[in-house]
Amino acid sequence: VSGGDHSTPQLWPMDKLRLELDECWAGGAGLAREKDGLKRPYGGGLPRVMMGPTRWKRGFIHVDEMAPLSIDKGLLSANIYLQLPSSDDDDHSGDFHIWPLGVRSRWDWYTNAPTLSGLSAQDPQTQVRLRKQLGPPLTIRLEPGDLVMLCVQRPHCAVGFQNGTRVSLQCFVQHNGPDERLLVEC
């Protein structure tokens, strides 16, 4: 075709992730499907756009699931960062924080109940209390193109920023056992 676009088609980053998980996980990976009815596949990921200034300058600490951690099953979040806000060398706007709190049993649940209850609240006082109770986080310094996969039962946050835009793609990956297929959904 004369004058047309001859560029090679590119895979959507979430499709590439799903295909790579399918190749390296013993049980394979694929899109999760409805359990009833037409059994249509779920979407393979959603774009997220955040523009500064963000509400939570230090990030909003939360978990996406409250269940205890298990080596046999769990829910992961996969985030691919396409664009990050520009920052000064001293400013860590847009970094990612995760806290190594691991609730693995009912006893852990009850021991950490005051902290865990704050992970579903959205008020500034609770965020201050959580930072004090959880201690310093592990910090991931993000670059465009980075993939961050984490267990969503661990407290985490994306650090806020004053100026610029953060663009990312996100999906969830359900792990149901070492020999089971990973299920990707959004």
Side-chain angles (χ1 to χ4, degrees), residues 14 16 59 69 78 102 108 112 120 123 149-150 158 170:
M14 289 308 204
K16 184 175 186 215
L69 295 172
D108 287 346
N112 292 290
S120 61
D123 62 275
M149 284 189 78
L150 66 127
Q170 181 185 33

Short mmCIF file of all heavy atoms in Angstrom, two decimals, residues 14 16 59 69 78 102 108 112 120 123 149-150 158 170:
data_model
loop_
_atom_site.label_atom_id
_atom_site.label_comp_id
_atom_site.label_asym_id
_atom_site.label_seq_id
_atom_site.Cartn_x
_atom_site.Cartn_y
_atom_site.Cartn_z
N MET A 14 -0.03 -5.57 28.46
CA MET A 14 -0.67 -6.57 29.32
C MET A 14 -0.82 -7.91 28.59
O MET A 14 -0.75 -8.96 29.23
CB MET A 14 -2.03 -6.08 29.81
CG MET A 14 -1.91 -4.96 30.81
SD MET A 14 -0.79 -5.44 32.14
CE MET A 14 -1.33 -4.41 33.43
N LYS A 16 1.36 -8.98 26.40
CA LYS A 16 2.73 -9.51 26.44
C LYS A 16 3.00 -10.16 27.79
O LYS A 16 3.56 -11.26 27.86
CB LYS A 16 3.74 -8.41 26.15
CG LYS A 16 5.15 -8.92 26.08
CD LYS A 16 6.12 -7.83 25.69
CE LYS A 16 7.47 -8.48 25.49
NZ LYS A 16 8.57 -7.68 25.88
N GLY A 59 1.43 9.16 49.38
CA GLY A 59 0.78 7.95 48.90
C GLY A 59 -0.28 7.48 49.87
O GLY A 59 -0.22 7.77 51.07
N LEU A 69 -1.96 -14.37 53.91
CA LEU A 69 -1.08 -14.84 52.85
C LEU A 69 -1.03 -16.36 52.85
O LEU A 69 -1.10 -17.01 53.89
CB LEU A 69 0.34 -14.32 53.08
CG LEU A 69 0.54 -12.81 53.00
CD1 LEU A 69 1.95 -12.45 53.45
CD2 LEU A 69 0.30 -12.33 51.59
N ALA A 78 -0.39 -6.57 38.90
CA ALA A 78 0.69 -6.28 37.96
C ALA A 78 0.46 -4.86 37.43
O ALA A 78 -0.63 -4.53 36.97
CB ALA A 78 0.69 -7.28 36.81
N GLY A 102 3.29 -9.47 56.79
CA GLY A 102 2.78 -10.72 56.25
C GLY A 102 1.85 -11.41 57.22
O GLY A 102 2.30 -12.07 58.15
N ASP A 108 -1.83 -14.11 63.49
CA ASP A 108 -1.25 -12.89 62.90
C ASP A 108 -2.35 -11.85 62.68
O ASP A 108 -2.14 -10.66 62.89
CB ASP A 108 -0.60 -13.18 61.54
CG ASP A 108 0.71 -13.94 61.66
OD1 ASP A 108 1.26 -14.02 62.77
OD2 ASP A 108 1.17 -14.45 60.62
N ASN A 112 -2.36 -8.21 64.55
CA ASN A 112 -2.23 -7.00 63.75
C ASN A 112 -3.56 -6.30 63.48
O ASN A 112 -3.62 -5.40 62.64
CB ASN A 112 -1.55 -7.33 62.42
CG ASN A 112 -0.11 -7.73 62.61
OD1 ASN A 112 0.73 -6.91 62.94
ND2 ASN A 112 0.18 -9.01 62.41
N SER A 120 -8.31 0.04 55.50
CA SER A 120 -9.52 0.26 54.70
C SER A 120 -10.11 1.66 54.95
O SER A 120 -11.14 1.99 54.39
CB SER A 120 -10.57 -0.81 55.01
OG SER A 120 -10.92 -0.76 56.37
N ASP A 123 -8.87 8.30 55.87
CA ASP A 123 -8.71 9.60 56.51
C ASP A 123 -7.23 9.85 56.80
O ASP A 123 -6.46 8.92 57.01
CB ASP A 123 -9.54 9.68 57.80
CG ASP A 123 -9.11 8.67 58.82
OD1 ASP A 123 -9.59 7.52 58.75
OD2 ASP A 123 -8.28 9.02 59.68
N MET A 149 5.07 -6.33 40.20
CA MET A 149 4.08 -7.33 40.60
C MET A 149 4.19 -7.48 42.11
O MET A 149 5.28 -7.61 42.64
CB MET A 149 4.32 -8.67 39.92
CG MET A 149 3.89 -8.68 38.47
SD MET A 149 3.94 -10.32 37.73
CE MET A 149 2.43 -11.02 38.39
N LEU A 150 3.05 -7.45 42.78
CA LEU A 150 3.08 -7.58 44.21
C LEU A 150 1.86 -8.35 44.70
O LEU A 150 0.83 -8.39 44.03
CB LEU A 150 3.10 -6.19 44.88
CG LEU A 150 1.85 -5.35 44.70
CD1 LEU A 150 1.35 -4.89 46.04
CD2 LEU A 150 2.15 -4.19 43.80
N ALA A 158 1.47 4.05 45.94
CA ALA A 158 2.23 4.81 44.96
C ALA A 158 2.39 6.21 45.55
O ALA A 158 1.41 6.83 45.96
CB ALA A 158 1.49 4.85 43.63
N GLN A 170 -2.81 -1.75 34.63
CA GLN A 170 -2.91 -2.65 35.78
C GLN A 170 -3.83 -3.81 35.48
O GLN A 170 -4.85 -3.66 34.79
CB GLN A 170 -3.45 -1.92 37.00
CG GLN A 170 -3.55 -2.83 38.21
CD GLN A 170 -4.19 -2.17 39.41
OE1 GLN A 170 -5.07 -1.34 39.29
NE2 GLN A 170 -3.74 -2.56 40.59
#
